[in-house]
Amino acid sequence: MIPNMKRHLLFLVVFLVGLGAQQVIADDGYRLWLRYDQISDNARLQQYRLAFQEVVLAGDSETSRVTGREIQKGLSGLLGKEIPVKSELSGNRSLIIGTPSDSEIISSLNLDKKLTSVGDEGFLIEQHRVQGNDHVVIAANTDVGALYGTFHLLRLMKTHEEVQHISIASAPKIQHRVLNHWDNLDRTVERGYAGLSLWEWKTLPNYEDPRYTDYARANASLGINGTVINNVNADPRMLTEQYIKKAAKLADIFRPYGIKIYFSANFFAPSRVGGLENSDPLNPDVQQWWKDKADQIYKHIPDFGGFLVKANSEGQPGPQNYGRSHAEGANVLAEAVAPHGGIVMWRAFVYSPEQEDRFREGYDEFVPLDGQFADNVILQVKNGPIDFQPREPFHPLFGTLPETNTMLELQITQEYFGFSLHLAYMGPLYKEALSADTYAKGEGSTVARVIDGEVFDYEHTGIAGVANTGRDRNWTGHPFGQSNWYLFGRLAWDHTQTAEGLADEWIRMTFTHDPDFVEPVKEMMMMSREAGVRYRNPLGLTHLYAQGHHYGPAPWTSDLPRPDWTAVYYHRADDEGIGFDRTESGSNAIEQYAPEVRDQFDEMGDTPLEYLLWFHHVPWDYQLSTGRTLWQELVHRYYQGVEDVREMREKWASVEGLIDKGRYRHVEALLEIQEEAALWWRNACVLYFQQFAGEPIPEEYEKPEHSLEYYKELEKTHHIARF
Amino acid sequence: MIPNMKRHLLFLVVFLVGLGAQQVIADDGYRLWLRYDQISDNARLQQYRLAFQEVVLAGDSETSRVTGREIQKGLSGLLGKEIPVKSELSGNRSLIIGTPSDSEIISSLNLDKKLTSVGDEGFLIEQHRVQGNDHVVIAANTDVGALYGTFHLLRLMKTHEEVQHISIASAPKIQHRVLNHWDNLDRTVERGYAGLSLWEWKTLPNYEDPRYTDYARANASLGINGTVINNVNADPRMLTEQYIKKAAKLADIFRPYGIKIYFSANFFAPSRVGGLENSDPLNPDVQQWWKDKADQIYKHIPDFGGFLVKANSEGQPGPQNYGRSHAEGANVLAEAVAPHGGIVMWRAFVYSPEQEDRFREGYDEFVPLDGQFADNVILQVKNGPIDFQPREPFHPLFGTLPETNTMLELQITQEYFGFSLHLAYMGPLYKEALSADTYAKGEGSTVARVIDGEVFDYEHTGIAGVANTGRDRNWTGHPFGQSNWYLFGRLAWDHTQTAEGLADEWIRMTFTHDPDFVEPVKEMMMMSREAGVRYRNPLGLTHLYAQGHHYGPAPWTSDLPRPDWTAVYYHRADDEGIGFDRTESGSNAIEQYAPEVRDQFDEMGDTPLEYLLWFHHVPWDYQLSTGRTLWQELVHRYYQGVEDVREMREKWASVEGLIDKGRYRHVEALLEIQEEAALWWRNACVLYFQQFAGEPIPEEYEKPEHSLEYYKELEKTHHIARF
């Protein structure tokens, strides 16, 4: 026995070294939620090992091969043993994956009706008796559907769900589920806080960085099926053949994962890189140029998705430069890609300095154009009327464009939420936006049902998320930034899921199943968005940010090239009170909403407190339902925001030791930074508004550490690195 | 036995999974040359296991703890078993590490004389009989010396060197061995091609990224003892307390590894961030400001190294803005840091558009100031008189400043060598620069012996390397970029080492010991620099680059704000010939060299061909020693450069399968890109110069693929991403 023992020990040592190495990988966050370490719950492990002794995979498309690689890697890791992938059924407890056309077994199960109901991208996961034994079957109409089903099963296993007698039918509610990368050709990322762009243009198309594949895997695991790879403030060179060829390589890598590539297009490309006199959409040469350009792109990228355009917005060129309408401009590009099955996503984010209320402008600009856009154009509308603020009422364009495909644009990168330095789980924000009721066709006409096409029966439906990814090893800088990428993808597939449920999934897949970790961390995530609202813009205040960087507070900002870039434009604080009157007595922006929505906002007394200052100029001594005056409530909420962050820090401190040291320390340090910022916001804003309120900060609150002058100075001297 | 067998198999599976995981780490290049995988040579492995059964480490300083962690990690990995680190000797074959003051064993060995000879940073590695047994001893006068010795022993083991009867004494020949990071505060890196800056300013000082420690380990393993963390084109905000505090955290992390932090200082900081009227070095307020600033810095960073200054160069401010000399400017900063033991590294890289020959300017500016600089100032001089070109004659300031500490600045980042896209091992270039003979005090007065202080007995000696590191996972973008970081550090410690020997070391530590890999790859590295010279600037041509990015060719560049930024200024091609006459009949720059050097260059016929066009305007039909006319030789070398790259590709192709796929494919793709660039250079330059030579491209050569106009156009349309 002795030599045996020795060998045992040797194995043991090497095994531990091995685990050590694995640990390193496990901790740097690179694997995101796709970690295939052995299942920790032993009962589940045994059950899964029993249920999945082999994989039977039909089809030999590139996508099938991708599915095979993923399920082999996934099962072998989760079950801690090699699971064979075969083309023929031989075992008596197998996982069978395929489509009726590729797999005789699946075609024999008479799933046609069910499969029809899940469409091209959906899938079924069911237990079936085949050749006298029970097997789990993943069936779909397409290979991509089967891939989605495979990722879904792996997620169920990673979250230790029951798979006995499993019966799942799933299909996406929205067609175009797209990431928007604000990535420049020099690889800097606008509002990107996680390193340089993922796309290493210098080495494309020659070098296929393995990271491109892992990016595709991560998106496919959520059902994201499109990616706009360059900044909406678009460099026209993106449309030159040099870059089209580079992008074609990315498209080749993404294709098997069901992901299409889109370009942001500069509307002046015909004159800037095409050598034409102008870029007037009614100029036949310009129209021909876009057609030829589309043909060239599709020659290199046969499944090219189409264009995203930011036109006549923040200095970007557009059809209005030639006195043409947005519809006239969009339709030229739409016509160019239509023969190839492409679409144009046209951003509704427009505002001009002349307007007296920026809130109104998207609606005033686009509602008159309803019905004038080509069928393959989708209007891309941000969740709120201003610009991704911590809280906004829903955009009045949702529910008011019956004849215009309308999609929702959410921001995943935390431009107004503390960059990659603050923990801010977007679940509550996204759900708030999706479940807002437009009453377009009576109660229940939620934004979600508008963009999934139910309310107006749109030809194309879509949802876009401005990505927070970069070359940082963990993809998103803040370890919890990953949760917002995950959240976006999962909600894009099915917006009926809850923020809390998705947080729970993500935590278990990303960290651990230990309830002592999961519960406090879930609470921390769920409270984080409201905390961010409170220490920055409580009670419906908005856009109090220092310009340029949108990190620190500058409610005093008053002289900028455009009034609607200043803070005073938004808060309108004076000796009487504070807030932007958007009722009839003011800009009357509320008239853009359905009567039922208007009724929620037009009376100061009835307006929900979180939206109060969005719609009313409220006296400082106005008595609120909370029993406090407006001034007291404002102070209370700013202080509450800081307390929230302190509570988040306590919750995180309580989980020390339950996960790897690396990620624990990282988040710990970032929460420290977040509290500093929360204090900065609270003190700067309370001291600034106090000048107008002329009231003291109530006794019970700690005094701001410095004077208002100090914080004004800090805005100038405190340097926030862009990257 | 059966259950035992089962357990064996289980261990085996997990072990393989573990190895798999390890492999992933091994392949991404993050570990650089510090890979501690088990020794592959079994004889050596057994020998080392026998020799190092335990480590006995004296001292409990932070540096000793670092040494303990490194040797434990290193030995355990290399030997494939845990090696204990103890404070007392107990085994009979041990590794004993320490200083005479901390270790009774070491003080008992009477090494005082030997130790005195290796100084503060040097070390001894010797076998000694202690308590009746043979042990290997690493002895030094300081804990940092012991750390260097520890890294040296680990390197010997990683290169499978004999350690029986080992007897090594090593000490650095140069005092200040410093990396220069051209990193901006927004984290972009000037001439950096490996991602964003390593310094994540946004999360400092709160978050200690583990990467900072790995950076320190890598440098300490080579003996690099200083780092200038910000760009010489210096943002004055680096000197504000906000950034001093952030940098102090880095200094705390680097300190145990013997690495000091330096700042690049903006000469106008007193007026730009100090609130002073001006930054005139003779203004007492300015002098006081620098003193106070130094005191503030040393309060946060007690071992702060000092300042690096780029003054009155390429738009940077300096003393000449106030009519003061470089010496007057440098001495003010020197006086401020002197009480704290700091130094000032003052760059000699100055040139003004007025001058008729940029080659002369550094010499003309600084030689008259010799003797005027404070003792703690070191003049930092680039290897050549222009700017890090693929080949330059040595800078005339070497050997002509007997009274001024003079250090050498080399460029590790490949600004003129194809960025991180081309393979260019700098060994031959650095050695060429170091071994150039200035004849300052007769034959053998090499640049190396000037900068190590032997020739003039300088008070301070130093060498700087402009870093090529960034946040790319593998640190340097191109996997072979790591070799130049390694090379710089090893030569800084001991400039007598050979380029080939260091390439051999690096290959074995970074990839494999397989001779079928090592030999062809070493040949590829050794030929790579000359290849880069040939396809860009053969025969002593220089600076034919497109401006802005220095990647592609633009020998036709003629109209730029400054003549000495154009290409025609350097090559002077006309119908008669080509080249810059720097003899007496021309700018007479050669008069700046010692007579023995002048004699090598003043006669067209005697000048070595690789320097010919640096010093002579040579007729196109001039007959060269090669039997070819100048035109024929020029064409020949351009074509040879491309052939060299093709040969490098063949050598790399021959090693496929001998290392991990990931790094193999990466280098394969980059070599493909390099050949494209070499062809671009060759064709553009040959076609351009042909206009003047009026001769055909000899029959035997393949015709350029496109016309000269095409390549001129390409310079404008081909976009090279900065990052």
Side-chain angles (χ1 to χ4, degrees), chain B residues 642-707:
Chain B
V642 171
E643 290 313 312
D644 291 343
V645 177
R646 287 170 175 162
E647 189 180 334
M648 287 163 63
R649 291 187 66 182
E650 282 162 22
K651 288 181 188 298
W652 189 249
S654 76
V655 302
E656 179 166 16
L658 301 182
I659 58 162
D660 54 281
K661 209 169 178 173
R663 287 184 297 177
Y664 176 78
R665 290 260 173 270
H666 193 181
V667 174
E668 183 187 43
L670 293 173
L671 285 169
E672 197 178 297
I673 291 170
Q674 186 167 359
E675 185 182 341
E676 290 165 8
L679 279 163
W680 181 15
W681 269 96
R682 182 197 76 185
N683 294 341
C685 292
V686 167
L687 289 169
Y688 171 76
F689 291 125
Q690 187 180 26
Q691 302 177 109
F692 302 97
E695 300 253 357
I697 297 167
E699 282 305 327
E700 62 264 39
Y701 301 114
E702 64 193 20
K703 291 248 156 303
E705 206 182 338
H706 304 282
S707 69

Side-chain angles (χ1 to χ4, degrees), chain B residues 209-480:
Chain B
D209 190 322
R211 191 156 193 163
Y212 302 142
T213 303
D214 289 322
Y215 167 84
R217 289 176 55 235
N219 284 327
S221 76
L222 307 173
I224 290 170
N225 64 0
T227 180
V228 184
I229 59 176
N230 62 310
N231 192 352
V232 288
N233 295 319
D235 188 324
R237 288 174 299 194
M238 187 70 229
L239 298 179
T240 59
E241 190 160 31
Q242 182 191 358
Y243 278 93
I244 293 168
K245 283 178 177 169
K246 292 170 184 283
K249 171 64 71 175
L250 294 177
D252 292 340
I253 296 168
F254 299 166
R255 189 170 297 110
Y257 292 90
I259 298 165
K260 285 184 175 180
I261 275 193
Y262 299 76
F263 294 160
S264 289
N266 184 302
F267 197 79
F268 275 11
S271 43
R272 289 190 181 161
V273 294
L276 298 193
E277 291 269 307
N278 61 48
S279 298
D280 181 347
L282 298 200
N283 171 351
D285 295 346
V286 170
Q287 295 171 357
Q288 191 56 49
W289 187 88
W290 283 109
K291 286 197 177 74
D292 297 342
K293 182 53 64 177
D295 295 344
Q296 183 191 37
I297 294 171
Y298 279 93
K299 194 169 104 286
H300 292 286
I301 310 173
D303 60 343
F304 179 67
F307 297 119
L308 169 64
V309 184
K310 176 181 180 179
N312 295 119
S313 169
E314 298 180 329
Q316 290 301 307
Q320 293 178 334
N321 296 62
Y322 301 100
R324 320 302 184 189
S325 76
H326 281 280
E328 288 172 308
N331 293 347
V332 167
L333 277 66
E335 201 180 325
V337 294
H340 308 281
I343 61 169
V344 170
M345 298 172 288
W346 194 267
R347 288 178 101 227
F349 180 63
V350 299
Y351 58 99
S352 52
E354 298 71 33
Q355 281 270 18
E356 48 128 14
D357 183 1
R358 176 168 163 182
F359 186 113
R360 298 184 59 107
E361 302 183 37
Y363 179 101
D364 292 345
E365 182 81 47
F366 285 96
V367 166
L369 299 175
D370 188 34
Q372 297 180 28
F373 288 93
D375 291 347
N376 62 329
V377 174
I378 316 181
L379 200 63
Q380 183 167 309
V381 182
K382 294 184 180 185
N383 58 288
I386 302 300
D387 186 17
F388 297 133
Q389 296 300 294
R391 172 172 276 115
E392 297 195 31
F394 73 88
H395 199 299
L397 278 173
F398 293 110
T400 51
L401 294 168
E403 304 301 326
T404 307
N405 302 317
T406 306
M407 66 190 284
L408 171 64
E409 178 178 326
L410 296 166
Q411 193 175 45
I412 305 170
T413 191
Q414 296 171 215
E415 175 180 356
Y416 294 98
F417 263 106
F419 301 178
S420 56
L421 302 178
H422 294 199
L423 194 158
Y425 175 56
M426 293 292 130
L429 188 157
Y430 293 176
K431 287 296 288 185
E432 193 173 278
L434 287 161
S435 55
D437 199 337
T438 69
Y439 289 89
K441 290 195 171 176
E443 188 166 6
S445 306
T446 60
V447 169
R449 294 187 55 253
V450 168
I451 65 166
D452 73 13
E454 281 184 51
V455 172
F456 297 124
D457 191 25
Y458 289 144
E459 169 120 10
H460 285 277
T461 61
I463 185 167
V466 180
N468 63 347
T469 52
R471 277 279 171 150
D472 277 3
R473 181 64 180 169
N474 72 359
W475 300 86
T476 58
H478 198 305
F480 279 74

Side-chain angles (χ1 to χ4, degrees), chain A residues 8 14 202 243 719 723, chain B residues 4 15 202 243 672 719 723:
Chain A
H8 268 318
V14 185
K202 281 206 302 292
Y243 278 94
H719 179 237
F723 309 116
Chain B
N4 254 333
F15 164 28
K202 281 205 303 290
Y243 278 93
E672 197 178 297
H719 179 237
F723 307 116

Side-chain angles (χ1 to χ4, degrees), chain B residues 528-641:
Chain B
S528 60
R529 182 265 184 143
E530 200 60 38
V533 171
R534 288 183 179 137
Y535 62 72
R536 293 190 188 88
N537 304 319
L539 288 171
L541 284 174
T542 196
H543 222 302
L544 308 182
Y545 295 83
Q547 267 304 316
H549 72 73
H550 287 152
Y551 185 78
W556 45 79
T557 311
S558 58
D559 53 354
L560 286 172
R562 299 181 51 155
D564 50 359
W565 284 350
T566 68
V568 297
Y569 173 92
Y570 293 100
H571 64 68
R572 314 226 154 176
D574 55 28
D575 295 349
E576 274 69 56
I578 180 172
F580 197 131
D581 182 357
R582 293 189 166 99
T583 64
E584 281 183 62
S585 55
S587 74
N588 201 20
I590 63 170
E591 72 178 334
Q592 299 180 334
Y593 287 121
E596 297 88 337
V597 181
R598 218 177 299 152
D599 293 345
Q600 299 165 23
F601 300 138
D602 62 357
E603 288 302 327
M604 199 182 285
D606 307 343
T607 306
L609 291 187
E610 60 266 37
Y611 295 107
L612 182 61
L613 303 182
W614 269 102
F615 297 105
H616 301 279
H617 191 70
V618 183
W620 292 110
D621 57 2
Y622 186 77
Q623 280 293 333
L624 301 178
S625 53
T626 61
R628 301 190 186 86
T629 64
L630 178 72
W631 165 250
Q632 290 164 342
E633 190 64 33
L634 193 68
V635 173
H636 173 69
R637 296 194 177 203
Y638 269 114
Y639 274 79
Q640 187 55 52

Side-chain angles (χ1 to χ4, degrees), chain A residues 32-102:
Chain A
L32 297 160
W33 47 86
L34 296 175
R35 298 157 81 242
Y36 297 129
D37 300 335
Q38 187 170 315
I39 306 265
S40 55
D41 175 332
N42 207 40
R44 278 279 181 254
L45 177 61
Q46 299 316 324
Q47 186 197 5
Y48 293 157
R49 281 181 171 169
L50 199 67
F52 304 115
Q53 295 169 9
E54 65 171 17
V55 175
V56 181
L57 178 66
D60 63 352
S61 68
E62 277 197 67
T63 297
S64 315
R65 279 192 288 278
V66 157
T67 302
R69 275 200 297 278
E70 195 70 32
I71 194 66
Q72 180 143 43
K73 183 178 180 184
L75 282 185
S76 303
L78 293 169
L79 305 186
K81 56 189 249 201
E82 283 300 310
I83 304 297
V85 176
K86 306 171 176 171
S87 53
E88 297 301 326
L89 180 63
S90 61
N92 45 29
R93 295 303 234 78
S94 311
L95 172 62
I96 301 168
I97 307 174
T99 62
S101 50
D102 286 333

Side-chain angles (χ1 to χ4, degrees), chain A residues 495-680:
Chain A
H495 54 66
T496 66
Q497 299 174 99
T498 68
E500 189 164 12
L502 293 173
D504 188 88
E505 273 181 14
W506 177 80
I507 295 168
R508 291 174 192 276
M509 288 190 281
T510 307
F511 290 103
T512 169
H513 290 74
D514 182 342
D516 294 341
F517 181 90
V518 174
E519 287 316 311
V521 170
K522 200 191 315 176
E523 289 161 12
M524 177 178 69
M525 288 172 73
M526 289 304 289
M527 72 188 290
S528 60
R529 181 266 183 140
E530 200 61 37
V533 172
R534 287 184 180 136
Y535 62 73
R536 293 189 188 89
N537 305 317
L539 287 171
L541 284 173
T542 196
H543 221 302
L544 308 181
Y545 296 83
Q547 267 304 316
H549 73 73
H550 287 151
Y551 185 78
W556 44 78
T557 312
S558 58
D559 52 354
L560 286 172
R562 301 180 50 153
D564 50 359
W565 285 350
T566 69
V568 298
Y569 173 92
Y570 293 100
H571 64 68
R572 316 225 153 177
D574 56 28
D575 296 351
E576 273 71 55
I578 180 173
F580 197 132
D581 182 357
R582 294 189 165 99
T583 64
E584 280 184 63
S585 56
S587 74
N588 200 19
I590 63 171
E591 74 179 334
Q592 300 180 332
Y593 287 122
E596 297 87 337
V597 181
R598 218 177 300 153
D599 293 346
Q600 300 165 23
F601 298 138
D602 65 355
E603 288 301 328
M604 199 181 285
D606 308 342
T607 306
L609 291 187
E610 60 266 37
Y611 295 108
L612 182 60
L613 304 182
W614 269 102
F615 297 105
H616 302 280
H617 191 70
V618 182
W620 292 109
D621 58 1
Y622 186 79
Q623 279 293 333
L624 302 178
S625 54
T626 60
R628 302 189 187 86
T629 65
L630 178 72
W631 165 249
Q632 291 164 344
E633 189 65 33
L634 193 68
V635 174
H636 173 70
R637 296 195 176 202
Y638 270 114
Y639 275 79
Q640 187 56 51
V642 171
E643 290 313 311
D644 291 342
V645 176
R646 287 171 175 161
E647 189 180 335
M648 289 163 63
R649 291 188 65 181
E650 283 161 23
K651 289 182 188 296
W652 188 249
S654 77
V655 303
E656 178 167 16
L658 301 182
I659 59 161
D660 54 281
K661 210 168 177 173
R663 287 184 296 178
Y664 175 80
R665 290 259 174 270
H666 194 181
V667 173
E668 183 187 44
L670 293 172
L671 285 169
E672 197 178 298
I673 291 171
Q674 185 167 0
E675 184 181 341
E676 291 166 8
L679 278 163
W680 181 14

